């Protein structure tokens, strides 16, 4: 991954491939005009104060994500200046926001793919700004190149290697808060990028066993406790939901439990992730056009995995248990049929009316297992319904919960870390649509409000009295459009930063 370093060098003296500066749409008297953001002073001075004019001549406007390249002025060791748009300049006495910095750093880092080293001279006012630029650069530089040849053809034909080193200028290498912000940015970005890798990995290589093995290796590396239930253990334990979903596949399902504990922890969080390594729909097969990206159906489990490892790397004073419900949903002679009844881990029976509503079945078992430990709160993360994508679009995840305050807190946390999220209700009247003539509940209900129906189903498998929230990340988990800000095409790592921040705030006693 891209390395992140701090330097006290002035921009002209940095030996690098490029110097990144910020530009914005001016506020106040320069309203609408392009302005050079703090950090770009040295470049501006070398251009005799004409930098804004030069950039406007090149077509720059300061719009968010806009990238303009120009030759560095004489006296600079780097050959290139890259001006990245920050959007609107903040009003008087206000600073550039963390998300604007993250996005700008991300867009710049992505535009520098193939380069060795770039200096980031963006407007960082404090440690939070340092963290934001660092995180944005590391996330924006990400590229999934495992299956591409980045060595030959000068990288022209296949993938370009990501920017090798991002140097933060204007940060103080000896300042404790600045150093901590960089360390946090590196841990979050490395683990989030690892989650992206897992999502992008083709499903013929990432099956439930492979995912479980990766979790075991990470647990060893970071001193986590890990327990993997294979198909035999799942059968012995009565995990009918996970087994029922996995029964059609040649790759057997797994339930992975990852535990991070801190000796001074006062609280215990449980994170539960949907880990369908490929969702064909099963016997209720998805038509062509709906299955090409379904390797992304383990994004929830990838987010949970990344969050637990990050909590460990940051040594947070909170206990965090991650549950990865891993299965491949395939049609075959041994697959669950529409009409089958599964006996779930909780003891409830479920009539499977549609084998494509599989996520709620694996989550139900994992939620019940998580509930047995009576954690202070459970948060599940899942690419659960197409209905949520229709409702909120492709960049926003829905939050449902059995506790209004907890749902609100998660929305605030998401906003703080730069994830778009919106609260969704769990209307009681939708429950009766899942009444089954044969079993305790059916895995399908009314089509209208399908995302909320799924949430209501999950709620039935949360232990009595436990605070629970459900994040439906079906929209933002996988970006099928072009990259933007620090978000690449493909796996995005949706949910990771919200879970990590939730753990941090819980550790600090600022939540619940
Ligand atoms: N994995 C899908 C949901 C999904 C859709 C994720 C689009 C990402 C992008 C899920 O398992 C599914 O198939 N849900 C069905 C439920 C229905 C059969 C009740 C859906 O949303 O159509
Ligand atoms: Mn499905
Ligand atoms: Zn699915």
């Amino acid at each position: 991954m891209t390395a992140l370093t701090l330097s006290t060098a002035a921009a002209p003296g940095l030996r690098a491939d490029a110097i990144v500066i910020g530009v914005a749409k001016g506020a106040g008297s320069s309203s609408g005009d392009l302005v050079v953001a703090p950090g770009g002073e040295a470049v501006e001075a070398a251009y005799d104060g004409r930098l804004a004019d030069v950039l406007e001549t090149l077509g720059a406007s300061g719009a968010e994500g806009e990238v303009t390249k120009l030759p560095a002025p004489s006296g600079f060791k780097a050959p290139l200046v890259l001006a990245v748009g920050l959007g609107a300049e903040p009003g008087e006495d206000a600073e550039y926001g963390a998300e604007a910095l993250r996005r700008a750093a991300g867009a710049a880092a992505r535009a520098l793919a193939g380069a060795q080293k770039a200096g980031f001279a963006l407007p960082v006012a404090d440690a939070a700004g340092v963290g934001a630029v660092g995180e944005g650069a590391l996330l924006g530089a990400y590229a999934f190149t495992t299956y591409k040849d980045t060595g030959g053809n000068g990288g022209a034909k296949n993938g370009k290697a990501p920017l090798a080193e991002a140097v933060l200028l204007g940060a103080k290498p000896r300042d404790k808060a600045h150093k901590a912000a960089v360390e946090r940015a590196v841990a979050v970005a490395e683990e989030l990028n690892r989650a992206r890798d897992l999502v992008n990995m083709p499903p013929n290589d990432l099956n439930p066993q492979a995912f479980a093995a990766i979790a075991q290796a990470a647990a060893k590396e970071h001193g986590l406790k890990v327990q993997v239930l294979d198909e035999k253990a799942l059968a012995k334990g009565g995990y009918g939901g996970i087994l029922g979903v996995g029964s059609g596949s040649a790759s057997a399902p797994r339930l992975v439990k990852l535990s991070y504990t801190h000796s001074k922890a006062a609280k215990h969080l449980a994170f539960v992730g949907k880990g369908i390594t490929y969702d064909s729909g099963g016997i209720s097969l998805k038509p062509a056009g709906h299955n090409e990206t379904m390797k992304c159906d383990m994004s929830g489990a990838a987010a949970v995995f990344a969050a637990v490892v990050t909590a460990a790397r940051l040594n947070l004073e909170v206990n965090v248990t991650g549950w990865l419900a891993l299965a491949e949903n395939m049609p075959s002679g041994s697959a669950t049929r529409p009409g089958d009844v599964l006996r779930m881990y909780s003891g409830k029976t479920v009539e499977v009316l549609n084998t494509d509503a599989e996520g709620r079945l694996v989550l139900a078992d994992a939620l019940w297992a998580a509930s047995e430990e009576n954690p202070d709160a459970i948060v599940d993360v899942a690419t659960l319904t197409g209905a949520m994508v229709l409702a909120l679009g492709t960049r926003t995840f829905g939050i449902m919960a059995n506790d209004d305050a907890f749902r609100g807190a998660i929305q605030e946390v998401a906003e703080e870390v730069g994830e778009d999220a919106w609260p969704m209700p769990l209307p009681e009247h939708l429950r009766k649509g899942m009444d089954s003539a044969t079993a305790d509940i059916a895995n399908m209900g009314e089509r209208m409000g399908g995302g909320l129906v799924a949430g209501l189903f999950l709620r039935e498998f949360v232990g009595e009295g436990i605070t629970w929230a459900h994040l439906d990340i079906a929209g933002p988990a996988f970006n099928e459009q072009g990259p933007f800000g620090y978000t690449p095409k493909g796996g995005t790592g949706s949910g990771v930063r919200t879970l990590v921040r939730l753990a941090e705030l819980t550790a600090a006693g600022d939540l619940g």
Side-chain angles (χ1 to χ4, degrees), residues 437-465:
T438 315
D440 296 328
I441 189 170
N443 77 330
M444 277 248 313
E446 284 179 40
R447 197 169 79 86
M448 298 297 167
L452 322 180
V453 171
L456 282 165
F457 181 94
L458 296 180
R459 192 181 64 174
E460 307 256 332
F461 296 89
V462 175
E464 187 72 31

Side-chain angles (χ1 to χ4, degrees), residues 171-188:
K172 303 179 200 127
R174 266 174 293 278
D175 182 303
K176 252 191 175 171
H178 284 208
K179 268 203 325 219
V182 168
E183 267 167 39
R184 180 186 187 277
V186 169
V188 169

Side-chain angles (χ1 to χ4, degrees), residues 274 279 286 294 296-297 354 356-360 383-387 389 444 474:
K274 170 177 174 182
D279 182 12
K286 285 182 189 293
M294 278 304 142
C296 81
D297 216 16
N354 189 323
D356 199 11
E358 84 297 338
R360 63 198 74 182
T383 47
L384 206 58
T385 66
V389 192
M444 277 248 313

